[in-house]
Amino acid sequence: MATLPSLSTLEHLFAALEEARARTLELIDDLSDEQMIGPRLAIVNPLRWEIGHVAWFQEYWVLRHFRGLPPILPEGDKLYDSARIPHDTRWDLPLPSKAETLKYVLQVLERITNPSHSASRTVKETNDYHEDYFLKLALYHEYMHAEAITYTRQTLGYPAPRIGIAQRGKAQNDSGHSASLGDAEIPGGTFLMGSTPDMPFVFDNEQWAHEVRVEPFRIARTAVTNGEFMNFVEDGGYQRREWWSPDGWAWREAVQADRPVYWKREANGRWLRRNFDRWVRLEERHPALHVNWYEADAYCRWAHRRLPTEAEWEMAASVEPASGPNGVSSALRTSSRKRLFPWGDDLPTPDRANLDWRSMGCVDVDALPAGDSSYGCRQMIGNVWEWTATDFGPYPGFSPGPYKEYSAPWFGDHKVLRGGCWVTRSGLIRNNYRNFYKPHRRDVWAGFRTCAL
Ligand SMILES: [Fe+2]
């Protein structure tokens, strides 16, 4: 298994933490103190709380838990501990101003990267977890919140963030194609789902690789497009109960949904979608985006398709075909080689995956062929998160990592998503990475691909 060379030394880790912090600050740079609080919504956080929480988390695990240093803010735990402060009370906290919060945010990073703030006493026993584990945990946590800050800006209708790395209007945004790439045929068999201990960092919910048997299946080579989803909407998909699960129909009735959340139709019949604070023409070859699990599931019934299971998704993304007699593709075996990314073990590059805000939005579903999996599935990493049919749950023998609230509290009522989106950091995402949201969430950067029945 390939290592991630960019994080192999403390210096590289510190540089990655600095780069992540610079990105976090870019994401909120133009927002006023008032915008940094925003309206009280069930699905997002006040941004002033969110950036303070990112720094607090880093301070808690690296400076306090690992290095044994005293807290910087006497009241920090009462402000920023997400496990103890209920979501809907975060707007009522005595949060410091944006300027004061930024001071704390930079102070924490400065102490982490400055050797004079290394452990003041003998480093306590941490059960095999070394400093690089906690530095990576803090880094990946910041990457996740950077994505959340971006969807919060979309939810609240704020302008798109100004990100230095973004290269707008790249040719790869428009593939010029319009025909579907069809399905990839996966022969099924057994494979090792999950991650192995030789990987440089493994979240608790990926532990550990275990044998899973999958029947032969056919999976779409691309995600469902806006154009395809538009056909579902225009065919009365939201009005016909037969396409919806009972929970999905109850959700639809409760919010009176009749289209994806950011879509509107002009008098001339043309569809627009809201992109941050602007209305743009709906791009028919972009993936359907901001659809929740219920909407994805209803589309599948209408299209006589189904969502892939989590195991099918991982198999299609990561396993290399096995050759039987005469070179004919045969059922996969547990010993089949798995790739870290769909294209192999090399790190993501812009021609393989749309990540890191580079394109400031999605690209056509059939763009970036260099990122295809060995079975020809496109963009399994990047562009849009993909809902799977599977409830988020523990792998056999699960035991929580040091950050106990990362996975275990969410088992059971969340659905698994795979693959990352245009805002996900290339340093975070891999084939085995499991994301999870409740099925009603439409604010996140999620779409889906389908399987044949
Ligand atoms: Fe967090």
Side-chain angles (χ1 to χ4, degrees):
M1 189 62 70
T3 54
L4 299 175
S6 56
L7 299 181
S8 56
T9 66
L10 269 188
E11 287 65 35
H12 287 135
L13 263 167
F14 290 162
L17 286 166
E18 281 167 355
E19 192 273 347
R21 185 59 40 90
R23 181 65 54 96
T24 303
L25 298 183
E26 260 185 316
L27 285 168
I28 49 101
D29 184 52
D30 59 321
L31 300 180
S32 66
D33 261 283
E34 217 168 279
Q35 286 174 307
M36 293 282 293
I37 292 295
R40 192 186 297 253
L41 294 179
I43 50 173
V44 297
N45 283 304
L47 293 174
R48 238 196 276 166
W49 179 87
E50 190 147 9
I51 59 164
H53 161 76
V54 166
W56 173 88
F57 185 93
Q58 197 176 46
E59 185 201 357
Y60 180 82
W61 287 107
V62 180
L63 296 178
R64 293 167 58 185
H65 178 80
F66 190 81
R67 295 193 196 163
L69 296 169
I72 296 174
L73 300 177
E75 301 290 293
D77 294 359
K78 290 189 186 143
L79 291 177
Y80 297 126
D81 185 348
S82 55
R84 273 152 208 93
I85 300 160
H87 176 266
D88 59 355
T89 66
R90 292 174 190 168
W91 285 262
D92 304 322
L93 297 166
L95 293 170
S97 68
K98 180 181 177 184
E100 286 165 332
T101 310
L102 289 178
K103 205 172 129 201
Y104 169 62
V105 162
L106 293 170
Q107 199 178 10
V108 172
L109 183 61
E110 205 273 324
R111 289 196 186 188
I112 283 179
T113 57
N114 187 330
S116 69
H117 291 285
S118 52
S120 58
R121 59 181 171 79
T122 311
V123 169
K124 62 179 163 177
E125 271 304 313
T126 54
N127 301 326
D128 292 337
Y129 290 100
H130 301 289
E131 181 164 29
D132 72 322
Y133 178 89
F134 296 104
L135 289 167
K136 286 175 186 169
L137 182 66
L139 176 69
Y140 299 145
H141 177 256
E142 183 150 4
Y143 285 167
M144 294 174 205
H145 276 282
E147 184 168 327
I149 292 169
T150 313
Y151 68 62
T152 298
R153 292 187 67 127
Q154 165 71 25
T155 304
L156 300 181
Y158 292 170
R162 289 190 287 267
I163 303 295
I165 198 175
Q167 302 162 26
R168 287 162 193 272
K170 289 174 69 172
Q172 70 189 34
N173 286 11
D174 176 11
S175 65
H177 299 151
S178 57
S180 162
L181 294 181
D183 285 346
E185 285 197 36
I186 318 287
T190 56
F191 82 117
L192 285 176
M193 183 170 178
S195 295
T196 46
D198 58 329
M199 291 186 61
F201 183 96
V202 180
F203 288 99
D204 57 7
N205 63 44
E206 298 167 45
Q207 297 171 12
W208 290 112
H210 57 288
E211 199 170 284
V212 171
R213 179 161 182 82
V214 177
E215 295 304 313
F217 63 102
R218 292 160 57 100
I219 186 167
R221 291 184 57 204
T222 66
V224 169
T225 63
N226 280 330
E228 290 165 333
F229 205 90
M230 186 173 76
N231 292 334
F232 167 67
V233 176
E234 292 184 348
D235 193 39
Y238 282 77
Q239 283 75 46
R240 291 171 60 183
R241 191 174 186 154
E242 69 256 41
W243 306 134
W244 296 75
S245 65
D247 286 349
W249 188 255
W251 166 82
R252 199 217 67 85
E253 293 276 274
V255 305
Q256 288 294 300
D258 62 356
R259 67 192 71 183
V261 60
Y262 299 129
W263 288 21
K264 80 172 177 191
R265 199 173 191 179
E266 291 187 304
N268 62 10
R270 201 171 67 167
W271 285 100
L272 304 178
R273 71 172 179 96
R274 181 167 69 71
N275 184 47
F276 295 97
D277 61 342
R278 301 201 174 157
W279 287 97
V280 298
R281 199 170 176 164
L282 189 71
E283 307 93 335
E284 293 200 12
R285 297 300 298 162
H286 280 200
L289 182 66
H290 299 298
V291 288
N292 68 23
W293 190 91
Y294 300 128
E295 291 169 296
D297 176 63
Y299 172 92
C300 286
R301 282 166 217 253
W302 169 82
H304 305 291
R305 305 276 292 179
R306 64 176 177 84
L307 288 173
T309 65
E310 184 183 13
E312 287 171 335
W313 193 100
E314 187 170 313
M315 182 182 254
S318 59
V319 179
E320 291 189 351
S323 296
N326 309 319
V328 176
S329 166
S330 64
L332 300 165
R333 292 181 296 274
T334 308
S335 59
S336 298
R337 211 189 90 79
K338 259 179 91 180
R339 298 174 172 183
L340 205 47
F341 303 101
W343 55 84
D345 290 343
D346 295 338
L347 297 175
T349 47
D351 66 322
R352 291 177 175 135
N354 179 20
L355 296 164
D356 293 315
W357 293 263
R358 258 176 208 284
S359 301
M360 278 311 291
C362 288
V363 299
D364 283 4
V365 296
D366 42 7
L368 312 177
D372 283 4
S373 74
S374 55
Y375 287 100
C377 293
R378 193 154 299 175
Q379 296 173 6
M380 294 198 91
I381 294 291
N383 218 26
V384 67
W385 285 104
E386 297 181 17
W387 290 106
T388 72
T390 304
D391 290 336
F392 183 50
Y395 286 168
F398 171 83
S399 78
Y403 172 30
K404 293 185 172 50
E405 295 88 3
Y406 179 61
S407 306
W410 322 113
F411 289 148
D413 61 351
H414 287 54
K415 298 286 183 187
V416 173
L417 302 94
R418 293 296 196 105
C421 69
W422 65 275
V423 196
T424 307
R425 296 312 305 264
S426 48
L428 175 70
I429 194 70
R430 325 169 244 102
N431 283 338
N432 292 350
Y433 183 87
R434 308 174 78 198
N435 198 357
F436 43 93
Y437 289 117
K438 284 198 169 166
H440 70 283
R441 293 284 298 265
R442 311 167 96 186
D443 58 317
V444 294
W445 308 106
F448 60 105
R449 80 176 64 213
T450 64
C451 284
L453 288 177

